[in-house]
Each structure stands twice: as C-alpha cells, then as structure tokens.
Amino acid sequence: MLRSVAGDDGIDEGDYELLKFVAADQLKPGPPVPQRLAASRRIEAPVGARERTFKLNGSDAINGREMDMTRIDEVVPAGAIEIWHVQNPVYSHNFHIHEVAFRILDIDGRPPSAYLQGPKDTAFIPRKSTVRLAVQFGHHTDPKTPYMYHCHILRHEDKGMMGQFVIVEPGTEASVPRTLPSHHHHG
C-alpha cells in the first residue's frame, strides 16, 4: 500500500492511502540496471532571460488568483529558457510545471543540494522561501491549448492553486488572446 503521511516539513496534513499494489503470483526478473545513467544537458538561462514571479498564496491561489479555466496567465515563446521566481510566504508546497524541464538555481540565494541539481518538473518550495528556477520550454506551439503550473498537493490543486500558460511562435506573444472559451481542453 502506498500511503501519504503528514511530515515534519508542513507539506500536508493527515495520513491516507493512495494506491494498492498487487504483485503477480509468479514474478520474472527484470533487465539489469545500467551501470551509468544517461547524461542530460544542463539547463542554462541566457543573459537577459525573461524573469517571472509566482507568489504562492495560502492553499488556493497563485499571484492572488484562483484557477480560471478560461484565463491564460502567461504566454511563452517556443524554445525559451526563462527564470521563474517562486515565492512562498506560507507553509511548504510542491510546485509543478507541465511540459517543461527546469533546474533549481538557488533556494533563498543559496545553491541547491547535490540531489536537487538535476533536471526537474517539480520542486519542493520550503516555507517562507523563494526558489529560482531556470525553466526550459518546448517547441510545440498552440495558443489555444494551455499547459498548467500548480502546487502539486492534491488538496491545494482542488482549491484552485493553479495557473495556465501557452507556448507560441516567438514574436507573437503580444497578439495571443488571454481568454479561452469555456469548452477548451488542456495539455
């Protein structure tokens, strides 16, 4: 049984069961684990990279706004590498961004521990801290199908602690509508 338990970091409250695993009666050996993992390219933000700030508000909003499925919060050019400042003035959160890879640049101005230095799509944001991320966006463009960024605590997601962004052709950011019809779908 996979269980979620309340921890010392104030990430969530209460204990509950998430998922039950049931193994087959007869198990087969799996392939050997590689001796060396594949190398990944280090995400580096270029000089003058666009910077955005996201303030986590309690358990139900980002930048003072609850999720609105018809609102585009951010418009990003395809292939961009940006710096995102995630400010957390309250208790700990996990911050997740769809469709990207990012690198933690620093936590309150200090370099991240070694285990936090690889490519990520989710980061632990300690209480009362600011975490800077070098965020690398993909090349698929679609101004009508947004991706999300959100707190990755299910209860906080459900309360509206999410935002949306679209990826567009570079140079078209200003012409992209910031609202969507209420019947659109997400990436």
Side-chain angles (χ1 to χ4, degrees):
M1 181 65 69
L2 178 63
R3 292 184 174 87
S4 176
V5 296
D8 295 334
D9 289 319
I11 196 76
D12 205 1
E13 298 174 2
D15 299 349
Y16 49 93
E17 295 177 347
L18 291 173
L19 181 65
K20 183 177 182 178
F21 294 94
V22 179
D25 290 334
Q26 295 293 319
L27 300 179
K28 299 178 206 169
V33 176
Q35 291 296 314
R36 201 171 98 107
L37 297 176
S40 61
R41 190 176 65 79
R42 185 174 167 93
I43 300 169
E44 296 289 349
V47 173
R50 168 89 190 251
E51 297 193 29
R52 300 178 197 256
T53 299
F54 300 87
K55 185 175 181 181
L56 308 179
N57 307 113
S59 63
D60 61 0
I62 297 175
N63 290 340
R65 298 186 291 190
E66 290 182 15
M67 175 65 170
D68 178 345
M69 299 287 282
T70 64
R71 183 184 69 231
I72 299 300
D73 298 288
E74 307 294 336
V75 178
V76 179
I81 298 178
E82 299 185 346
I83 297 174
W84 284 22
H85 301 254
V86 183
Q87 299 174 343
N88 183 13
V90 294
Y91 38 81
S92 300
H93 292 279
N94 287 320
F95 190 73
H96 175 63
I97 311 171
H98 290 208
E99 202 288 322
V100 306
F102 62 76
R103 181 172 64 89
I104 298 172
L105 297 172
D106 57 64
I107 302 168
D108 285 335
R110 292 182 304 277
S113 300
Y115 69 92
L116 295 174
Q117 293 179 13
K120 308 275 182 216
D121 69 2
T122 305
F124 176 71
I125 313 296
R127 72 182 99 209
K128 300 183 190 245
S129 70
T130 297
V131 176
R132 284 187 332 124
L133 311 172
V135 184
Q136 183 174 26
F137 294 87
H139 293 278
H140 175 74
T141 61
D142 186 345
K144 296 179 182 171
T145 305
Y147 296 101
M148 300 172 129
Y149 55 87
H150 55 91
C151 176
H152 221 305
I153 298 172
L154 184 57
R155 291 178 184 149
H156 296 179
E157 292 176 49
D158 289 350
K159 290 167 103 178
M161 195 170 198
M162 297 188 274
Q164 303 187 109
F165 67 95
V166 291
I167 298 175
V168 299
E169 290 294 332
T172 66
E173 297 91 330
S175 64
V176 174
R178 295 299 187 117
T179 58
L180 296 168
S182 59
H183 60 276
H184 76 281
H185 63 281
H186 287 76

